[in-house]
Amino acid sequence: SGMDHQPKFFENLSGTGKAIGVLTSGGDAQGMNAAVRAVVRMGIYVKAKVYFVYEGYQGMVDGGDNIVEVSWESVSSILQVGGTVIGSARCKSFRTREGRLQAAYNLVQRGITNLCVIGGDGSLTGANLFREEWSGLLEELSQKGKIDEDAVKKYAYLNIVGMVGSIDNDFCGTDMTIGTDSALHRIIEVVDAIMTTAQSHQRTFVLEVMGRHCGYLALVSALACGADWVFIPEYPPEEGWEDSMCVKLSENRARKKRLNIIIVAEGAIDCHNKPITSEKVKDLVVQRLGFDTRVTILGHVQRGGTPSAFDRILASRMGVEAVLALLEATPATPACVVSLSGNQAVRLPLMECVQMTQEVQKAMDEGRFVEAVRLRGRSFENNLNTYKLLSHKKPDAELPKTNFNVAVLNVGAPAAGMNAAVRAAVRVGITEGHKMFAVIDGFEGFARGKIKEISWGCVGGWTGQGGSILGTKRTLPAKYLEKIADQMRTNNINALMVIGGFEAYLGLLELSAAREKYDEFCVPMVMVPATVSNNVPGSDFSIGADTALNTITDTCDRIKQSASGTKRRVFIIETMGGYCGYLANMGALAAGADAAYIFEEQFDIRELQANVEHLTEKMKTSIQRGLVLRNENCNENYTTDFIYQLYSEEGKGVFDCRKNVLGHMQQGGAPSPFDRNFGTKISAKAMQWISKKLKETYRKGKVFANTDDSVCLLGMRRRNLVFQPVAELKNETDFVHRIPKEQWWLKLRPLMKILAKYKTSYDVSDSGQLEHVAMHSPKEAETGTI
């Protein structure tokens, strides 16, 4: 819009006189507690009263001490707890008008006319019906003499905002529901463990994962572990699948692959809508192939455990959005759900989402499976297409031959998920008809001629491996230009794919600058960002940052736990990131820290002093432990030691201090599901771009590309994956500190502070506006998000 909107500040929205009830309903999901915590603290921050409704709708109907007003401390240290601390129950009585009448009475007694419901589609549909009946219920209560006329007028409208908590990720309109990422963590942990035992004995494992009506968990875990076969309800296998699956499994054995993994969603069906069970799959493999086959049913393990960093941050962001949406709700606005689209918060009409979710089921029941996949949304469709692309190698005779040679290399420090990206690049490249080459040890290895052709089978089993199998170095190409050009010529390399961090970006800038002198560099080049620091311009996320964030969060949880039962204690924890405060800031949000010191937000001794006083005040209540994160380069004089000594001195008599430098463990470990998946999809897309550019720039028997748009970085920007010429990103970069000049996550900084009980200014101008659930066209799936 042409008009300049005044920025909208959270602290200017008043909740005075409003009462918010928060409940969790339906199946539990990890991260629900983080959502509850955010709603409570944000509600209290805007001076609203906040009530817990215990045991879901059952507690609302029963009333009494099932509905209690809560304080700031009520939600202390629940962030790292799985499930829901306020309980969730299936409730028969709320399905009756009688039950809802009783619930309305209990809410009116306490003046609650704002409800935040965290649950699955059933719970949200129930909430919407309640809202539609509300005025009728109040009329009836007044006729029965239970409430007076004033109450009917005063509490005339009920506002409802939903957050989807469901590990199945089965709700249309939301890219990720709260709990999905954590459930994937549980599945991947099991798969990784099974892989090691199955490697020892040549075995086939059939894993059954949750998802009665939705194949998301099965599909994404299959993508994340490179499973041989996956069964999901939305995409039943073709007639005769038994034969093709057995052929595939025996081919894999012949190729010396010691391990087969088959993933089955509990709701898997064939194209006649008949169930495909894990037992059935096992019997088939045993009868036809005689392979030693085991079934593992994951069951409730998937709902268990502590929430992942992603779910804690998602739930905290959604909690804020929910309170905002309630404060801004009017009788005219429909009940909405808050969710993420890509990396952008959105609000969607609750019933549109529910209708779409029901449409999917209907399409599946009627055998319209292509339609069902499309209705699930572009993220689901992308996952499915990527899985199909990477899991089955076409026979050589069926592959196109382009005669192009494409080289892949890793540059910078190791980051978890790099190997998943290399695997995807190699396999998509081969599918597109190119010859793929792997460069060992980055630009330095390239100069030394460490380059070899790499096949489809070479990258099998790479998705779950941490670090960089190809080897990676921080060396930049500038001092080896001559030698690298020689190698490009000798091996006839027609395109380059670089997977790495800030050095990879600098490297591409150097190579494109060298194009005037060396024709060899006049080829398409693309970079996929991979670094734990998440400091590459042009992308909201980089491969490896999520894994590092989980390491930080897990460690903080353990450190906090180490102090339980002792006297009051504060921990000062140093994180990596160079000058980029992403890990410190997001780690603080996910671990529930009291402060995070970062380079991007200058601080002085007065602020340090204020933080210590703030903590001291907090420790005088029931709170026992404090957590302070510090980015390694946030300030050259206020070192971790300095901050530790300051807190120790000032906290004397109230708390004692410990410090911890997390160090290189942040670069290690098996990649998280997010990094495997992100790495796989973004890399596959980059490879498709290379193919397109090769076709465009092939003239008179050779590839010649020397325009800016033939050297790109592929990044995630808000909702979309975008190819950006590295030349254009120069202006967005602070080269001295190796960070982007503008970083989206700084907007979340006030959120961390408010959740830690600071008064601060919070600009929420780009919080979700109400949108409609978009039906995307099939064309869009190619350009769309992750």
Coordinates of all heavy atoms in Angstrom, one line a residue, residues 182-264:
S182 N 10.1 -32.0 16.7 CA 10.5 -32.9 17.8 C 10.3 -34.3 17.6 O 11.1 -35.2 17.8 CB 9.9 -32.5 19.2 OG 10.1 -31.1 19.5
A183 N 9.1 -34.6 17.0 CA 8.8 -36.0 16.6 C 9.8 -36.5 15.6 O 10.2 -37.7 15.7 CB 7.3 -36.1 16.1
L184 N 10.2 -35.7 14.6 CA 11.2 -36.1 13.7 C 12.5 -36.4 14.3 O 13.2 -37.3 14.0 CB 11.4 -35.0 12.6 CG 10.2 -34.9 11.6 CD1 10.4 -33.6 10.7 CD2 10.1 -36.1 10.7
H185 N 12.8 -35.6 15.4 CA 14.1 -35.8 16.1 C 14.0 -37.3 16.7 O 15.0 -38.0 16.6 CB 14.2 -34.8 17.3 CG 15.0 -33.6 16.9 ND1 16.3 -33.4 17.1 CD2 14.6 -32.5 16.2 CE1 16.7 -32.2 16.7 NE2 15.6 -31.6 16.1
R186 N 12.9 -37.6 17.3 CA 12.8 -38.9 17.9 C 12.9 -40.0 16.9 O 13.6 -41.0 17.1 CB 11.4 -39.1 18.6 CG 11.1 -38.3 19.8 CD 12.1 -38.4 21.0 NE 13.2 -37.4 20.9 CZ 13.0 -36.1 21.2 NH1 11.9 -35.7 21.7 NH2 14.1 -35.3 21.1
I187 N 12.3 -39.9 15.7 CA 12.3 -40.9 14.7 C 13.7 -41.1 14.2 O 14.3 -42.2 14.1 CB 11.4 -40.5 13.5 CG1 9.9 -40.5 14.0 CG2 11.5 -41.5 12.4 CD1 8.9 -39.9 13.0
I188 N 14.4 -39.9 13.9 CA 15.8 -39.9 13.4 C 16.7 -40.6 14.4 O 17.6 -41.3 14.0 CB 16.2 -38.5 13.0 CG1 15.3 -38.0 11.8 CG2 17.6 -38.5 12.5 CD1 15.3 -38.8 10.6
E189 N 16.6 -40.3 15.6 CA 17.4 -40.9 16.6 C 17.3 -42.4 16.6 O 18.3 -43.1 16.6 CB 17.0 -40.4 18.1 CG 17.5 -39.0 18.4 CD 16.7 -38.3 19.5 OE1 16.0 -39.0 20.3 OE2 16.8 -37.1 19.6
V190 N 16.1 -42.9 16.4 CA 15.9 -44.3 16.3 C 16.5 -44.9 15.1 O 17.2 -45.9 15.1 CB 14.4 -44.7 16.4 CG1 14.1 -46.1 16.1 CG2 13.8 -44.3 17.8
V191 N 16.2 -44.2 13.9 CA 16.8 -44.7 12.7 C 18.3 -44.8 12.7 O 18.9 -45.7 12.3 CB 16.3 -43.8 11.5 CG1 16.9 -44.3 10.2 CG2 14.8 -43.9 11.4
D192 N 18.9 -43.7 13.2 CA 20.4 -43.7 13.3 C 20.9 -44.8 14.1 O 21.9 -45.5 13.8 CB 20.9 -42.3 13.9 CG 20.8 -41.2 12.9 OD1 20.4 -41.5 11.7 OD2 21.0 -40.0 13.3
A193 N 20.2 -45.1 15.2 CA 20.6 -46.2 16.1 C 20.4 -47.6 15.4 O 21.3 -48.4 15.5 CB 19.8 -46.2 17.4
I194 N 19.3 -47.7 14.7 CA 19.0 -49.0 14.0 C 20.0 -49.2 12.9 O 20.5 -50.3 12.6 CB 17.6 -49.0 13.5 CG1 16.7 -49.3 14.6 CG2 17.4 -49.9 12.3 CD1 15.2 -49.3 14.3
M195 N 20.4 -48.1 12.2 CA 21.4 -48.2 11.1 C 22.7 -48.9 11.6 O 23.2 -49.7 10.9 CB 21.7 -46.9 10.5 CG 20.6 -46.4 9.5 SD 21.0 -44.9 8.7 CE 20.1 -45.0 7.2
T196 N 23.1 -48.5 12.8 CA 24.4 -49.1 13.2 C 24.3 -50.6 13.5 O 25.1 -51.4 13.1 CB 25.0 -48.4 14.5 OG1 23.9 -48.4 15.4 CG2 25.4 -47.0 14.1
T197 N 23.1 -51.0 14.1 CA 23.0 -52.5 14.3 C 22.7 -53.2 13.0 O 23.2 -54.3 12.8 CB 21.9 -52.8 15.4 OG1 21.5 -54.2 15.2 CG2 20.7 -51.9 15.3
A198 N 21.9 -52.6 12.1 CA 21.6 -53.3 10.9 C 22.8 -53.4 10.0 O 22.9 -54.3 9.1 CB 20.5 -52.5 10.1
Q199 N 23.8 -52.5 10.1 CA 25.0 -52.6 9.3 C 25.8 -53.8 9.7 O 26.5 -54.4 8.9 CB 26.0 -51.3 9.6 CG 25.4 -50.0 9.1 CD 25.5 -49.8 7.6 OE1 26.0 -50.7 6.9 NE2 25.1 -48.7 7.1
S200 N 25.7 -54.2 11.0 CA 26.5 -55.4 11.5 C 25.9 -56.7 10.9 O 26.6 -57.6 10.5 CB 26.4 -55.4 13.0 OG 26.5 -54.1 13.5
H201 N 24.6 -56.8 10.8 CA 24.0 -58.0 10.2 C 23.3 -57.4 9.0 O 22.6 -56.4 9.1 CB 22.9 -58.6 11.2 CG 23.3 -58.6 12.6 ND1 23.9 -59.7 13.1 CD2 23.2 -57.7 13.6 CE1 24.2 -59.5 14.4 NE2 23.8 -58.3 14.7
Q202 N 23.4 -58.1 7.9 CA 22.6 -57.6 6.7 C 21.1 -57.8 7.0 O 20.6 -58.9 6.9 CB 23.0 -58.5 5.5 CG 24.4 -58.3 5.0 CD 24.6 -58.6 3.6 OE1 23.7 -59.0 2.9 NE2 25.8 -58.4 3.1
R203 N 20.5 -56.7 7.3 CA 19.1 -56.8 7.7 C 18.2 -55.8 7.0 O 18.7 -54.7 6.6 CB 19.0 -56.5 9.2 CG 19.3 -57.7 10.0 CD 18.7 -57.6 11.4 NE 19.0 -58.9 12.1 CZ 19.4 -59.0 13.4 NH1 19.5 -57.9 14.1 NH2 19.7 -60.1 13.9
T204 N 17.0 -56.1 7.0 CA 16.0 -55.1 6.5 C 15.1 -54.7 7.7 O 14.7 -55.6 8.5 CB 15.1 -55.8 5.4 OG1 15.9 -56.2 4.3 CG2 14.0 -54.8 4.9
F205 N 15.0 -53.4 7.9 CA 14.1 -52.9 8.9 C 12.9 -52.2 8.4 O 13.0 -51.4 7.5 CB 14.9 -51.9 9.8 CG 15.7 -52.6 10.9 CD1 17.0 -53.0 10.7 CD2 15.1 -52.8 12.1 CE1 17.7 -53.7 11.7 CE2 15.8 -53.5 13.2 CZ 17.1 -53.9 12.9
V206 N 11.8 -52.6 9.0 CA 10.5 -51.9 8.6 C 10.1 -51.1 9.9 O 10.0 -51.6 10.9 CB 9.4 -52.9 8.3 CG1 8.1 -52.2 8.0 CG2 9.8 -53.9 7.2
L207 N 10.1 -49.8 9.7 CA 9.8 -48.9 10.8 C 8.4 -48.3 10.6 O 8.1 -47.8 9.5 CB 10.7 -47.7 10.8 CG 12.1 -47.8 11.1 CD1 12.7 -46.4 11.2 CD2 12.2 -48.5 12.5
E208 N 7.6 -48.4 11.6 CA 6.2 -47.8 11.5 C 6.2 -46.5 12.4 O 6.5 -46.5 13.5 CB 5.2 -48.8 12.1 CG 3.8 -48.3 11.9 CD 2.7 -49.2 12.5 OE1 2.7 -50.4 12.1 OE2 2.0 -48.8 13.4
V209 N 5.8 -45.5 11.7 CA 5.8 -44.2 12.4 C 4.3 -43.7 12.5 O 3.5 -44.2 11.7 CB 6.7 -43.1 11.7 CG1 8.1 -43.6 11.7 CG2 6.2 -42.7 10.4
M210 N 4.1 -42.7 13.4 CA 2.7 -42.2 13.5 C 2.2 -41.4 12.3 O 3.0 -40.9 11.5 CB 2.6 -41.3 14.8 CG 2.6 -42.1 16.0 SD 2.3 -41.0 17.5 CE 1.9 -42.2 18.7
G211 N 0.9 -41.3 12.2 CA 0.3 -40.6 11.1 C -0.8 -41.4 10.5 O -0.7 -42.1 9.6
R212 N -2.0 -41.3 11.2 CA -3.1 -42.1 10.8 C -3.7 -41.6 9.5 O -4.1 -42.4 8.6 CB -4.2 -42.1 11.9 CG -4.3 -43.5 12.5 CD -5.3 -43.4 13.7 NE -5.1 -42.1 14.3 CZ -5.4 -41.8 15.6 NH1 -6.1 -42.7 16.3 NH2 -5.2 -40.7 16.1
H213 N -3.7 -40.3 9.3 CA -4.3 -39.7 8.1 C -3.3 -38.9 7.4 O -3.6 -38.3 6.3 CB -5.5 -38.9 8.5 CG -6.5 -39.6 9.4 ND1 -7.2 -40.6 8.9 CD2 -6.8 -39.4 10.7 CE1 -8.0 -41.1 9.9 NE2 -7.7 -40.3 11.0
C214 N -2.1 -38.8 7.9 CA -1.1 -37.9 7.2 C 0.2 -38.5 7.2 O 0.7 -39.0 8.2 CB -1.1 -36.6 8.0 SG 0.1 -35.4 7.4
G215 N 0.9 -38.4 6.0 CA 2.2 -39.1 5.8 C 3.4 -38.2 6.1 O 4.5 -38.6 5.7
Y216 N 3.2 -37.0 6.7 CA 4.3 -36.1 6.8 C 5.5 -36.7 7.5 O 6.6 -36.6 7.0 CB 3.8 -34.8 7.4 CG 4.9 -33.8 7.5 CD1 5.1 -32.9 6.4 CD2 5.9 -33.7 8.5 CE1 6.1 -31.9 6.4 CE2 6.9 -32.7 8.5 CZ 7.0 -31.9 7.5 OH 8.0 -31.0 7.5
L217 N 5.3 -37.3 8.7 CA 6.4 -37.8 9.5 C 7.1 -38.9 8.7 O 8.4 -38.9 8.7 CB 5.9 -38.3 10.8 CG 5.5 -37.3 11.9 CD1 4.9 -38.0 13.1 CD2 6.6 -36.3 12.2
A218 N 6.3 -39.8 8.1 CA 7.0 -40.9 7.3 C 7.8 -40.3 6.2 O 8.9 -40.7 6.0 CB 5.9 -41.8 6.8
L219 N 7.2 -39.4 5.4 CA 7.8 -38.9 4.3 C 9.1 -38.1 4.6 O 10.2 -38.4 4.0 CB 6.9 -37.9 3.5 CG 7.4 -37.2 2.3 CD1 7.9 -38.2 1.3 CD2 6.3 -36.3 1.7
V220 N 9.1 -37.2 5.6 CA 10.2 -36.4 5.9 C 11.3 -37.3 6.6 O 12.5 -37.1 6.3 CB 9.9 -35.2 6.8 CG1 11.1 -34.5 7.2 CG2 9.0 -34.3 6.0
S221 N 10.9 -38.3 7.4 CA 12.0 -39.1 8.0 C 12.6 -40.0 6.9 O 13.8 -40.3 7.0 CB 11.5 -39.9 9.2 OG 10.3 -40.5 8.9
A222 N 11.8 -40.4 5.9 CA 12.4 -41.2 4.8 C 13.4 -40.3 4.0 O 14.5 -40.8 3.6 CB 11.3 -41.6 3.9
L223 N 13.0 -39.0 3.8 CA 14.0 -38.1 3.2 C 15.2 -37.9 4.0 O 16.3 -37.9 3.5 CB 13.3 -36.7 3.1 CG 12.9 -36.2 1.7 CD1 12.3 -34.8 1.9 CD2 14.0 -36.1 0.7
A224 N 15.0 -37.8 5.3 CA 16.1 -37.5 6.2 C 17.1 -38.6 6.4 O 18.2 -38.4 6.9 CB 15.6 -37.0 7.5
C225 N 16.6 -39.9 6.2 CA 17.6 -41.0 6.4 C 17.8 -41.8 5.2 O 18.5 -42.8 5.2 CB 17.1 -41.9 7.5 SG 15.6 -42.8 7.0
G226 N 17.3 -41.3 4.0 CA 17.6 -42.0 2.8 C 17.0 -43.4 2.8 O 17.6 -44.3 2.3
A227 N 15.7 -43.5 3.2 CA 15.1 -44.8 3.3 C 14.9 -45.3 1.9 O 14.8 -44.6 0.9 CB 13.7 -44.7 4.0
D228 N 14.8 -46.7 1.7 CA 14.7 -47.3 0.4 C 13.3 -47.2 -0.1 O 13.0 -47.2 -1.3 CB 15.1 -48.8 0.5 CG 16.5 -48.9 0.9 OD1 17.3 -48.8 0.0 OD2 16.8 -49.1 2.1
W229 N 12.3 -47.2 0.8 CA 10.9 -47.2 0.4 C 10.1 -46.6 1.5 O 10.4 -46.7 2.6 CB 10.5 -48.7 0.2 CG 9.3 -48.8 -0.8 CD1 8.0 -48.7 -0.5 CD2 9.4 -49.0 -2.2 NE1 7.2 -48.9 -1.6 CE2 8.1 -49.0 -2.7 CE3 10.5 -49.1 -3.1 CZ2 7.8 -49.2 -4.1 CZ3 10.2 -49.3 -4.5 CH2 8.8 -49.3 -4.9
V230 N 9.0 -45.8 1.1 CA 8.2 -45.2 2.1 C 6.7 -45.4 1.7 O 6.4 -45.3 0.5 CB 8.5 -43.7 2.3 CG1 8.2 -42.9 1.0 CG2 7.7 -43.1 3.5
F231 N 5.9 -45.7 2.6 CA 4.4 -45.9 2.4 C 3.7 -44.8 3.1 O 3.7 -44.7 4.4 CB 3.9 -47.2 2.9 CG 4.5 -48.4 2.1 CD1 5.6 -49.1 2.6 CD2 3.9 -48.8 0.9 CE1 6.1 -50.2 1.9 CE2 4.4 -49.8 0.2 CZ 5.5 -50.5 0.7
I232 N 2.9 -43.9 2.4 CA 2.1 -42.9 3.1 C 0.7 -42.9 2.5 O 0.5 -43.3 1.4 CB 2.8 -41.5 2.9 CG1 2.9 -41.2 1.4 CG2 4.1 -41.4 3.6 CD1 3.3 -39.7 1.1
P233 N -0.3 -42.4 3.3 CA -1.7 -42.5 2.8 C -1.9 -41.6 1.6 O -2.8 -41.9 0.8 CB -2.5 -42.0 4.1 CG -1.5 -41.5 5.1 CD -0.2 -42.0 4.7
E234 N -1.2 -40.5 1.5 CA -1.5 -39.5 0.4 C -1.0 -40.0 -1.0 O -1.4 -39.5 -2.0 CB -0.9 -38.2 0.6 CG -1.4 -37.4 1.8 CD -0.7 -37.7 3.1 OE1 0.0 -38.7 3.2 OE2 -0.9 -36.9 4.0
Y235 N -0.1 -41.0 -1.0 CA 0.6 -41.3 -2.2 C 0.7 -42.8 -2.3 O 1.8 -43.3 -2.1 CB 1.9 -40.6 -2.3 CG 2.7 -40.8 -3.6 CD1 2.3 -40.2 -4.8 CD2 3.8 -41.6 -3.6 CE1 3.0 -40.4 -6.0 CE2 4.6 -41.8 -4.8 CZ 4.1 -41.2 -6.0 OH 4.8 -41.4 -7.1
P236 N -0.4 -43.6 -2.5 CA -0.3 -45.0 -2.4 C 0.6 -45.5 -3.6 O 0.6 -44.9 -4.7 CB -1.7 -45.5 -2.6 CG -2.5 -44.3 -2.9 CD -1.7 -43.1 -2.8
P237 N 1.3 -46.6 -3.4 CA 2.1 -47.2 -4.5 C 1.3 -47.7 -5.6 O 0.1 -48.0 -5.4 CB 2.9 -48.3 -3.8 CG 2.0 -48.7 -2.6 CD 1.3 -47.5 -2.2
E238 N 1.9 -47.8 -6.8 CA 1.1 -48.2 -8.0 C 0.8 -49.7 -7.9 O 1.5 -50.4 -7.1 CB 1.9 -47.9 -9.3 CG 2.0 -46.4 -9.6 CD 3.2 -46.1 -10.5 OE1 3.7 -47.0 -11.1 OE2 3.5 -44.9 -10.5
E239 N -0.1 -50.2 -8.7 CA -0.4 -51.6 -8.8 C 1.0 -52.4 -9.0 O 1.8 -51.9 -9.8 CB -1.3 -51.9 -10.0 CG -2.7 -51.5 -9.8 CD -3.5 -52.5 -9.0 OE1 -2.9 -53.4 -8.3 OE2 -4.7 -52.4 -9.0
G240 N 1.1 -53.5 -8.4 CA 2.3 -54.3 -8.6 C 3.5 -53.7 -7.9 O 4.7 -54.1 -8.2
W241 N 3.3 -52.9 -6.8 CA 4.3 -52.4 -6.0 C 5.2 -53.4 -5.3 O 6.4 -53.3 -5.1 CB 3.8 -51.3 -5.0 CG 2.8 -51.9 -4.0 CD1 1.5 -51.9 -4.1 CD2 3.2 -52.5 -2.7 NE1 0.9 -52.5 -3.0 CE2 1.9 -52.9 -2.1 CE3 4.4 -52.8 -2.0 CZ2 1.8 -53.5 -0.9 CZ3 4.3 -53.4 -0.8 CH2 3.0 -53.8 -0.2
E242 N 4.5 -54.5 -5.0 CA 5.2 -55.6 -4.3 C 6.5 -56.0 -5.1 O 7.6 -56.2 -4.6 CB 4.3 -56.8 -4.1 CG 3.1 -56.6 -3.2 CD 1.9 -56.0 -3.9 OE1 2.0 -55.6 -5.1 OE2 0.8 -56.1 -3.3
D243 N 6.3 -56.2 -6.5 CA 7.4 -56.6 -7.3 C 8.5 -55.5 -7.4 O 9.7 -55.8 -7.2 CB 6.9 -56.9 -8.8 CG 5.9 -58.0 -8.8 OD1 5.9 -58.9 -7.9 OD2 5.0 -58.0 -9.7
S244 N 8.1 -54.3 -7.6 CA 9.1 -53.2 -7.8 C 9.9 -53.0 -6.5 O 11.1 -52.8 -6.5 CB 8.5 -51.9 -8.3 OG 7.2 -51.8 -7.9
M245 N 9.2 -53.1 -5.4 CA 9.9 -52.9 -4.1 C 10.9 -54.0 -3.9 O 12.1 -53.8 -3.5 CB 8.9 -52.9 -2.9 CG 9.6 -52.7 -1.6 SD 8.5 -52.6 -0.2 CE 8.5 -54.3 0.3
C246 N 10.5 -55.3 -4.2 CA 11.5 -56.4 -4.0 C 12.6 -56.3 -4.9 O 13.8 -56.6 -4.6 CB 10.7 -57.7 -4.1 SG 9.6 -58.0 -2.7
V247 N 12.4 -55.9 -6.2 CA 13.5 -55.7 -7.1 C 14.5 -54.7 -6.6 O 15.7 -54.9 -6.6 CB 12.9 -55.2 -8.5 CG1 14.1 -54.8 -9.4 CG2 12.2 -56.4 -9.2
K248 N 13.9 -53.5 -6.1 CA 14.8 -52.5 -5.6 C 15.6 -53.0 -4.4 O 16.8 -52.7 -4.3 CB 13.9 -51.3 -5.2 CG 14.7 -50.3 -4.3 CD 14.5 -48.9 -4.8 CE 15.7 -48.0 -4.3 NZ 15.4 -47.1 -3.2
L249 N 15.0 -53.7 -3.5 CA 15.7 -54.2 -2.3 C 16.8 -55.2 -2.7 O 18.0 -55.1 -2.2 CB 14.8 -54.9 -1.3 CG 13.7 -54.0 -0.7 CD1 12.8 -54.8 0.3 CD2 14.4 -52.8 0.1
S250 N 16.5 -56.1 -3.7 CA 17.6 -57.0 -4.1 C 18.7 -56.4 -4.9 O 19.9 -56.7 -4.7 CB 17.0 -58.2 -4.8 OG 16.1 -57.8 -5.8
E251 N 18.3 -55.3 -5.7 CA 19.4 -54.6 -6.4 C 20.3 -53.9 -5.4 O 21.6 -53.9 -5.5 CB 18.8 -53.5 -7.2 CG 18.3 -53.9 -8.6 CD 17.6 -52.8 -9.3 OE1 17.6 -51.6 -8.8 OE2 17.2 -53.0 -10.5
N252 N 19.8 -53.3 -4.3 CA 20.6 -52.7 -3.3 C 21.5 -53.7 -2.6 O 22.7 -53.4 -2.4 CB 19.7 -52.1 -2.2 CG 19.2 -50.7 -2.6 OD1 19.7 -50.2 -3.6 ND2 18.3 -50.1 -1.9
R253 N 21.0 -54.9 -2.4 CA 21.9 -55.9 -1.8 C 23.0 -56.3 -2.7 O 24.2 -56.4 -2.3 CB 21.1 -57.2 -1.5 CG 20.3 -57.2 -0.2 CD 21.3 -57.1 1.0 NE 20.6 -56.6 2.1 CZ 19.9 -57.3 3.1 NH1 19.9 -58.6 2.9 NH2 19.4 -56.7 4.1
A254 N 22.7 -56.4 -4.0 CA 23.7 -56.7 -5.0 C 24.8 -55.7 -5.1 O 25.9 -55.9 -5.4 CB 23.0 -56.9 -6.4
R255 N 24.4 -54.4 -4.8 CA 25.3 -53.3 -4.9 C 26.1 -53.2 -3.5 O 26.6 -52.2 -3.2 CB 24.6 -52.0 -5.1 CG 24.3 -51.7 -6.5 CD 24.3 -50.2 -6.8 NE 23.2 -49.8 -7.5 CZ 22.1 -49.3 -7.0 NH1 22.0 -49.0 -5.7 NH2 21.1 -48.9 -7.8
K256 N 26.0 -54.2 -2.7 CA 26.8 -54.3 -1.5 C 26.2 -53.3 -0.4 O 26.9 -52.9 0.5 CB 28.3 -54.0 -1.6 CG 29.0 -55.0 -2.5 CD 29.4 -56.2 -1.6 CE 30.3 -57.2 -2.4 NZ 29.6 -57.9 -3.5
K257 N 24.9 -52.9 -0.6 CA 24.3 -52.0 0.4 C 23.8 -53.0 1.5 O 23.0 -53.8 1.2 CB 23.2 -51.2 -0.2 CG 22.7 -50.2 0.8 CD 21.6 -49.3 0.2 CE 21.1 -48.4 1.4 NZ 19.8 -47.8 1.1
R258 N 24.4 -52.9 2.7 CA 24.1 -53.9 3.7 C 22.8 -53.7 4.4 O 22.4 -54.5 5.3 CB 25.2 -53.8 4.8 CG 26.6 -54.2 4.2 CD 27.6 -54.1 5.3 NE 27.3 -55.0 6.4 CZ 27.8 -56.3 6.5 NH1 28.5 -56.8 5.5 NH2 27.5 -57.0 7.5
L259 N 22.1 -52.6 4.1 CA 21.0 -52.2 5.0 C 19.9 -51.7 4.2 O 20.0 -50.9 3.3 CB 21.6 -51.1 5.9 CG 20.6 -50.1 6.5 CD1 19.9 -50.7 7.6 CD2 21.4 -48.9 6.9
N260 N 18.7 -52.2 4.5 CA 17.5 -51.6 3.8 C 16.6 -51.1 4.9 O 16.3 -51.7 5.9 CB 16.7 -52.7 3.0 CG 17.5 -53.3 1.9 OD1 17.7 -54.5 1.9 ND2 18.0 -52.5 1.0
I261 N 16.1 -49.9 4.6 CA 15.1 -49.3 5.6 C 13.8 -49.0 4.8 O 13.9 -48.3 3.8 CB 15.7 -48.1 6.3 CG1 16.7 -48.6 7.3 CG2 14.6 -47.3 7.0 CD1 17.1 -47.6 8.3
I262 N 12.7 -49.5 5.4 CA 11.4 -49.2 4.8 C 10.6 -48.5 5.9 O 10.5 -49.0 7.0 CB 10.7 -50.5 4.4 CG1 11.6 -51.3 3.4 CG2 9.3 -50.2 3.8 CD1 11.1 -52.7 3.2
I263 N 10.0 -47.3 5.5 CA 9.2 -46.6 6.5 C 7.8 -46.6 6.1 O 7.4 -46.4 5.0 CB 9.7 -45.1 6.6 CG1 11.2 -45.2 7.2 CG2 8.8 -44.3 7.5 CD1 11.8 -43.8 7.4
V264 N 6.9 -47.0 7.1 CA 5.5 -47.1 6.9 C 4.7 -46.2 7.8 O 4.9 -46.3 9.0 CB 5.0 -48.6 7.2 CG1 3.6 -48.8 6.8 CG2 5.9 -49.6 6.4

